[in-house]
C-alpha cells in the first residue's frame, strides 16, 4: 500500500485514538488546539477512598482488573465521522468531569458518578447499547470548548487530574445505580438550592423536599439582576403566548400568584398575563426560578437565590456533607428518598 494511503488512514483514526487516550485518564495532558496529547513528566495524584493520593501505577493495575470484568452496557460514539463502541463504565468519567465544579469533594464526586450512571441506564431502558446523541450529555472532549485553542499547562494538569479522579470514582462505585420501586430514578441535580430542595410530582416519589442549609453560605447563592422598565417589558412580552406588557405596568402590576415550599416561583402575574416561574426565569436569563422583583429608580431588579432547578441533589450541599464526613450512600439517601442503591 502506498505511503500516502497509510498516512491518510492514520490521520482519520487519530481523533478517535486521542479520545480514547483522553478517556483513559492516565495523567496525560489533553486536548490542545490540534488534538495533540503531550505526556506529562510528573505523575498526577488521584484520590483514594479517604481522599489521599494513590500512585498512578496502582490505578493502572486496577484498570486491567476492571476491563476484564466490565459491565456489558456500551455507548456508540462518533468522532470525526468514525464510530466505535465504548463501555459505559469507561464512558462515565468524561461525563462526570463536565458536571462537577472545581475542588469537588471525593464522596460527592462518587455521588455524581452514581447519578450519571443511573441517568444513562434509565435512558437505555433495558437495552445493552445506546447512541451517544440520545444521551444529550456534555462530554469532556465536546464541551470544554478547547478544540480551537491550546490549553495552558495549568489547564491541562487540572483536566488530567479531574479525569483521573472521575475514573477512580467510577471504579469505586462500579455498577451502582439508584432505583425506586424497581425502576431507575430520574436523578435530577443542581448546583445550589434556595436552602431547601423541591418536591417533585407524584410520579417521582423520591424527589422530596429537604433542607440544604449549606447552600445559603455558597458563593453566588444570591444574585441581583437589573433592567430598565422598557427592556423588562419587552423581554416578558417575548414569552410564547404572552399578553403584551407595557413599561408603565411594571413593577406595579407584578404579583406573585404561587410559590412552592422551597420558595421557587410557580406562577406570577405580570400585566394581564400569568406565567410560570420557569418561563420568566428563561426569558430573563436568571439562574433559578427562586426570585422576586423590586422596583428601583431606574427600573426593576430581580433578587435570585440558588443556581439550577432545585430538584434532587444539591452539588453544593453534597460537597459540604462530604467534607463533614458523610459517605456517598448517605448523601444520596438524604437527597433522594425511598430509593435503593443497587449494584448491577
Amino acid at each position: 500500500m502506498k505511503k500516502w494511503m497509510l498516512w491518510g488512514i492514520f490521520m482519520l483514526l487519530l481523533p478517535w485514538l486521542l479520545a480514547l487516550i483522553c478517556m483513559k485518564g492516565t495523567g496525560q495532558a489533553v486536548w490542545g488546539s490540534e488534538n495533540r496529547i503531550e505526556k506529562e513528566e510528573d505523575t498526577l495524584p488521584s484520590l483514594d477512598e479517604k481522599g489521599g493520593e494513590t500512585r498512578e501505577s496502582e490505578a493502572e493495575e486496577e484498570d486491567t482488573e476492571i476491563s476484564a470484568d466490565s459491565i456489558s452496557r456500551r455507548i456508540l460514539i462518533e468522532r470525526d465521522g468514525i464510530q466505535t463502541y465504548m463501555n459505559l463504565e469507561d464512558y462515565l468519567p468524561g461525563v462526570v468531569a463536565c458536571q462537577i465544579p472545581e475542588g469537588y469533594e471525593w464522596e460527592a464526586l462518587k455521588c455524581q458518578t452514581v447519578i450519571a450512571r443511573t441517568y444513562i441506564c434509565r435512558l437505555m431502558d433495558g437495552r445493552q447499547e445506546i447512541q451517544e446523541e440520545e444521551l444529550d450529555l456534555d462530554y469532556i472532549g465536546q464541551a470544554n470548548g478547547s478544540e480551537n485553542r491550546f490549553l495552558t499547562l495549568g489547564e491541562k494538569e487540572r483536566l488530567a487530574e479531574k479525569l483521573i479522579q472521575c475514573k477512580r470514582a467510577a471504579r469505586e462505585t462500579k455498577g451502582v445505580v439508584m432505583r425506586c420501586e424497581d425502576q431507575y430514578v430520574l436523578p435530577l441535580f443542581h448546583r445550589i438550592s434556595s436552602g431547601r430542595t423541591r418536591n417533585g410530582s407524584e410520579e417521582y416519589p423520591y424527589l422530596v423536599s429537604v433542607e440544604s442549609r449549606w447552600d445559603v453560605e455558597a458563593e453566588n447563592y444570591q444574585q441581583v439582576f437589573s433592567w430598565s422598565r422598557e427592556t423588562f417589558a419587552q423581554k416578558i412580552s417575548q414569552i410564547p403566548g404572552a399578553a403584551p406588557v407595557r413599561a408603565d405596568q411594571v413593577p406595579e402590576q407584578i404579583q406573585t400568584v404561587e410559590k412552592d415550599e422551597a420558595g421557587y416561583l410557580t406562577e406570577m402575574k405580570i400585566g394581564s398575563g400569568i406565567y410560570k416561574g420557569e418561563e420568566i426565569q428563561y426569558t430573563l436569563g436568571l439562574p433559578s426560578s427562586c426570585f422576586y422583583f423590586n422596583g428601583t429608580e431606574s427600573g426593576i431588579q430581580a433578587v435570585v437565590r440558588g443556581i439550577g432547578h432545585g430538584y434532587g441533589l444539591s452539588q453544593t450541599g453534597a460537597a459540604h456533607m462530604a467534607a463533614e464526613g458523610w459517605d456517598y450512600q448517605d448523601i444520596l439517601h438524604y437527597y433522594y428518598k425511598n430509593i435503593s442503591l443497587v449494584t448491577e
Side-chain angles (χ1 to χ4, degrees), residues 10 26 63 74 94 133 140 171 192-193 210 215 227 274 277 279 296 315 341:
F10 173 76
T26 57
D63 280 349
R74 57 185 188 172
E133 53 264 31
I140 193 66
R171 286 196 300 269
I192 305 172
S193 77
V210 297
D215 295 24
W227 307 268
I274 296 179
E279 291 179 315
T296 66
Q315 290 184 320
L341 293 172

Side-chain angles (χ1 to χ4, degrees), residues 3 38 41 72 81 88 102 119 151 209 214 217 219 227:
K3 291 183 178 179
E38 302 168 0
E41 295 180 357
S72 60
L88 170 58
E102 291 291 332
Y119 177 75
L151 295 178
S209 178
W214 309 272
E217 303 297 329
E219 184 179 3
W227 307 268

Side-chain angles (χ1 to χ4, degrees), residues 159-178:
L159 178 57
E161 183 173 4
K162 181 184 282 191
L163 285 169
I164 291 172
Q165 293 178 8
C166 291
K167 192 171 182 66
R168 187 169 179 83
R171 286 196 300 269
E172 296 192 5
T173 63
K174 183 184 175 185
V176 178
V177 295
M178 291 184 286

